[in-house]
Each structure stands twice: as C-alpha cells, then as structure tokens.
C-alpha cells in the first residue's frame, strides 16, 4: 500500500496546546479584564480585507506592505490581504459603517494577524495580537488613557518589571516635514557610510534609518538631528500634556528620541514597551497616534491613537501560565457506578462546577488522572456508595475523605 504523506504545518504557524495555551489564555483573559475596567468595547472585524485597505493606510514604503503581506486574488479576481495588523481594518470599519456618530470610540480586539517574515523565536507568520484603539479623540488624554491601560495590563500579568515604556513625539505635520528634511540632509552627507538597506530607506522612508539595527548605520543615526528643535509650539504642548498625564497616572516612561514608527500616518505620540528578556524580539507592545489615517482611507479627518501587542511575546514573559481550575473529578468503580456518575457529573456542571470523569484503568490510574487534571476534589463512588446514596469526597490536597449525600454534592463542593 502506498504510504500517505501528511502535509506539514505551514512554516511560521503554530499549534498551541497545554502550558503554552494556558500562557496565551492568561494574556487574553487579562486583556479582556483590563479593557473592561477602562470601558473599551470589544469589536470584531474581518480577518481579510481588500488589499487597498492596508496598502493605503500603512503606505507602500513600509516593510509590512512591501515585503510582509499575504496577498492573493480570490476566485472573483479581487485582490485581498490577510490582515497584518488591526488598526487599518478598524479604521475602514469606522468609515464604511458610519461610526462617526459614536465618536469618540474606545475599541479593543484580539486575534490572528499574518506577516510573511523569517520565522524565529517570538516571530511567526501567523501570530496573535491584542489591540486597543481610541478613534475620534484628538486630546492627549486619550494617549494617556491607552498607555495607562497598557501599563496596568503588564502589571497585572506580572511582567512590568524589566519592561520599559519608551516614548517619543513625531510632532505634527509641520514638525515632521521640517525634521524629515533635516534628516535627509544629514543622511545624504553620510551616504557612503550607510548600509544598503538604509540607502533604500533614504529614498523611501528616511525616518526609519533612525531605528536601523545595522552597526554601520548606528553612529550616523545617533548623530542625526533631534526632533526637539523642530517642534512647533502646538506639538511641544501636546507632548508635554502626554508626559504630564503619565506622571499624574503614575506610569513610568523614558524618552527615546530615536523611536520612530514605520507607518506614514503616525503623528505626535509614538511608543514601545521593550524588554531585553526576548533577545532581538524585544518589543512587546507598540503604538502611537495616527491622526492622518482615516483621511488617507477616504474618511473625514478623524483623530486616532492605539497600540497592539504580540500575545506570544507577552506569553513568553509570564512567570506562570494560567492555573488549570478543575473543581472535581468523578471516579466511578463498577458498571452501576459508571451510569450513576454520568448523572452526578451533569449535576455538578449545571451547578457551575468544573468537573470531569476518570473512568479508565484501575483505581490508582483513575486517581492519577484526577491529580493530573489538577482537581481540588475526587468524588469516588462504587457499589457501597450507591447503596448508601452518598459519595466519598476526597480533598486531593490534604488526602482527607468524607462521605457526602449525592444530592448535597454540588452544594458541598461549591462551598468548599
Ligand atoms: P518588530 O520590530 O519586532 O518586527 P513591528 O514593529 O513589526 O515589530 P508592530 O507592527 O508594531 O511590530 O506590531 C505590534 C506587536 O506585534 C509587536 O510589538 C510584537 O509584539 C508583535 N509582533 C510583530 N510582528 C510579530 C511576529 N512576526 N511574530 C510575533 N509577534 C509579532
Ligand atoms: Mg516587523
């Protein structure tokens, strides 16, 4: 018989189970909890969009659009792209659904995003992001609220230590133009020393040279003119209001005047939460203000600010995955008990208890399964117990066992 080859998992994708899954879940649950505290509504948007949504909002010169998108023609001949991030799709939804009437909107979402990158630790082709956005608020208070949310999330996940908020301003349009011109002049004067990639960036997206990791570029990037001398009074006031708000909210930050975001629509605030615990993949959460985005997608001028974080990178930083929480494992012995156990199990679950059954192998194997599930109690029943109408309830932490009447089980376990 011919051997059938199983197709492999696609490079850069993941199957997530067990401890990794529980780490992942802890990040998502933490985010869902905190975004509620900040009154952010959950939004669901499509996994794929017309290619123009990303090409126009991210800009053709960005790495994401020029090298990383999963773009294909569907059967109708339309060019579609798997979302490489959330912001552009949310902006598109804001325009096409007429959400202007609800502005300002505080929105949160999470799910898979796709980028054709070289897979390595902390870098995948299908990865997952949590994402928070405020659309229709031009005030610096919105930036502060989003950063405070991020800070609280990292704190609640227990990973705030060793993660630093780096903050910068990219100014308003006028500031950015003037700074960009000065940067181009500076980099042009050092053309001979720049890496090939940065020579290319010089034509297409000169700001990006500032965060080049190539050692040949570093001295030139480090000696480039600072944005501060180009800030208009308005841009300067805005940045002062953001930093003042962060100080008032007790959020620690450091200035990184070399921090730029790759996307063309960023204005004013740009930030990253970085750590040195993840090697080259040190940025865990990043974002900023994108006041030009909605207009560049054909909507009315609308301010926006937001961030996204890689769930996998946050999950790697966690000390502990989410604990398994199983209240009880029912352990039946004998055929009659097996049937009765089905009823007891259903009752426990209807009463809101997390419960499972251990029905395979001898008693020792069954108790081992109860332990492996991390259950708090084993509910043991055999012929004797059925005759008496009560089960043996064993506390798996202490080893103590007591009889409990069948109809009092759910109450007893819920109270325990
Ligand atoms: P990097 O510099 O690591 O490529 P980026 O600037 O492309 O990151 P963003 O577009 O800002 O990243 O995405 C927000 C977050 O998503 C990142 O801070 C990171 O945590 C995560 N992320 C980005 N790309 C990947 C990937 N390929 N695999 C896993 N997580 C990723
Ligand atoms: Mg990237």
């Amino acid at each position: 018989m011919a051997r059938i080859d199983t197709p492999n998992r696609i490079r850069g994708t993941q199957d997530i189970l067990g401890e990794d899954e529980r780490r992942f879940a802890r990040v998502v649950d933490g985010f869902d909890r905190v975004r509620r505290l900040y009154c952010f509504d959950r939004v669901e948007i499509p996994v794929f969009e017309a290619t123009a949504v990303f090409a126009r909002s991210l800009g053709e010169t960005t790495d994401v659009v020029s090298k990383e998108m999963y773009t294909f023609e569907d059967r109708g001949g339309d060019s579609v792209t798997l979302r490489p991030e959330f912001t552009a799709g949310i902006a598109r939804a804001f325009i096409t659904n007429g959400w202007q009437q609800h502005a300002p909107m505080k929105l949160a979402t999470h799910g898979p995003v796709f980028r054709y990158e070289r897979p390595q630790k902390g870098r995948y082709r299908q990865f997952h992001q949590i994402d928070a956005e405020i659309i229709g608020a031009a005030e610096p208070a919105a930036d502060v609220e989003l950063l405070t949310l991020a800070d609280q999330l990292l704190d609640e996940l227990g990973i705030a230590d060793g993660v630093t908020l780096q903050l910068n301003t990219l100014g308003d349009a006028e500031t950015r133009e003037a700074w960009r011109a000065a940067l181009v002049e500076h980099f042009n004067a050092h053309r001979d020393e720049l890496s090939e990639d940065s020579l290319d960036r010089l034509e297409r997206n000169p700001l990006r040279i500032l965060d080049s990791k190539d050692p040949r570029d570093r001295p030139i990037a480090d000696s480039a003119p600072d944005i501060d001398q180009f800030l208009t009074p308005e841009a300067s006031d805005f940045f002062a209001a953001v930093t003042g708000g962060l100080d008032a909210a007790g959020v620690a930050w450091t200035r990184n005047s070399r921090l730029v975001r790759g996307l063309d629509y960023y204005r004013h605030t740009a930030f990253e939460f970085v750590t040195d615990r993840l090697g080259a993949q040190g940025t865990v959460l990043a974002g900023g203000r994108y006041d030009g985005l909605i207009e560049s997608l054909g909507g009315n001028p609308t301010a926006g600010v937001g961030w996204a974080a890689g769930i996998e990178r946050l999950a790697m930083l966690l000390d502990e995955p989410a604990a398994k929480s199983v209240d009880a494992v029912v352990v039946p012995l004998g055929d009659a008990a097996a049937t009765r156990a089905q009823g007891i199990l259903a009752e426990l679950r209807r009463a809101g208890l997390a419960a499972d059954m251990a029905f395979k192998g001898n008693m020792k194997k069954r108790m081992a399964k109860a332990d492996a599930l991390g259950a708090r109690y084993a509910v043991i029943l055999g012929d004797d117990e059925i005759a008496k109408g009560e089960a043996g309830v064993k506390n798996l932490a202490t080893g103590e066992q007591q009889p409990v009447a069948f109809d009092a089980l759910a109450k007893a376990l819920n109270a325990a």
Side-chain angles (χ1 to χ4, degrees), residues 63-64 68 115 117 123 127 208 313:
D63 282 356
V64 171
E68 299 174 358
R115 295 184 193 179
E117 301 201 66
R123 195 175 290 286
F127 62 104
R208 281 255 73 153
R313 291 191 195 172

Side-chain angles (χ1 to χ4, degrees), residues 139-160:
E139 300 79 14
D143 311 46
V144 173
E145 183 172 19
L146 275 164
L147 283 163
T148 312
L149 192 170
D151 182 75
Q152 183 167 346
L153 174 65
L154 298 182
D155 200 48
E156 294 203 1
L157 292 175
I159 57 182

Side-chain angles (χ1 to χ4, degrees), residues 171-253:
D172 47 20
E174 194 186 321
T175 305
R176 197 167 156 146
E177 268 321 297
W179 185 40
R180 185 189 153 105
L183 287 173
V184 168
E185 197 185 329
H186 171 80
F187 293 135
N188 262 323
H190 295 89
R191 286 190 77 90
D192 303 345
E193 300 141 68
L194 286 173
S195 68
E196 300 75 39
D197 276 352
S198 282
L199 280 174
D200 187 47
R201 291 184 191 117
L202 184 51
E203 304 305 319
R204 289 144 54 89
N205 196 349
L207 263 62
R208 281 255 73 153
I209 298 176
L210 289 177
D211 68 357
S212 166
K213 296 190 177 80
D214 194 306
R216 287 172 290 172
D217 296 329
R218 270 330 315 161
I220 305 153
D222 290 335
S223 63
D226 234 50
I227 191 171
D228 292 25
Q229 52 187 300
F230 302 99
L231 287 176
T232 60
E234 294 77 22
S236 186
D237 287 351
F238 193 98
F239 191 51
V242 172
T243 58
L246 291 175
D247 293 341
V251 176
W253 57 276

Side-chain angles (χ1 to χ4, degrees), residues 115 117 122-125 127 129 213 261 272 281 283-286 308-310 312-313:
R115 295 184 193 179
E117 301 201 66
R123 195 175 290 286
Y124 310 95
R125 289 183 173 173
F127 62 104
Q129 285 184 337
K213 296 190 177 80
R261 304 287 300 149
E272 291 184 351
Q281 274 60 253
T283 305
V284 290
L285 185 153
E312 289 86 352
R313 291 191 195 172

